[in-house]
Amino acid sequence: ANLYGADPTGQTAYELPVVDEDGGSFARELRERLARETAVRFRMVADRVTAEDLVRRKQAGSALVIPHGTQAD
């Protein structure tokens, strides 16, 4: 699957800051899959404040926050 408007070769990859507040296996798998996606320039950031700041300053169109409790034990 492709993101709308993204070049599958990665020339116009979307910048996607990701915050993993959960640390579970689901979040790990999601990060691994995003890292292989050429249409997304996946980047881990320290916290949601940093991610929100990147979006606010238009350095990213959106951010992904994986909240604590996403993976039920």
Side-chain angles (χ1 to χ4, degrees):
N2 285 335
L3 291 172
Y4 179 76
D7 178 0
T9 66
Q11 297 297 314
T12 59
Y14 288 103
E15 184 76 25
L16 182 65
V18 177
V19 181
D20 182 3
E21 297 175 341
D22 186 62
S25 61
F26 172 77
R28 201 168 27 259
E29 175 72 19
L30 183 59
R31 290 192 328 259
E32 290 170 4
R33 288 181 184 222
L34 284 172
R36 293 190 303 260
E37 177 57 56
T38 59
V40 175
R41 190 171 300 117
F42 155 78
R43 179 172 90 169
M44 292 299 295
V45 294
D47 52 40
R48 66 174 61 215
V49 171
T50 303
E52 289 170 352
D53 184 58
L54 289 168
V55 173
R56 190 176 307 104
R57 291 185 296 125
K58 299 185 190 287
Q59 295 193 3
S62 62
L64 174 63
V65 177
I66 305 166
H68 179 72
T70 296
Q71 170 124 4
D73 291 325

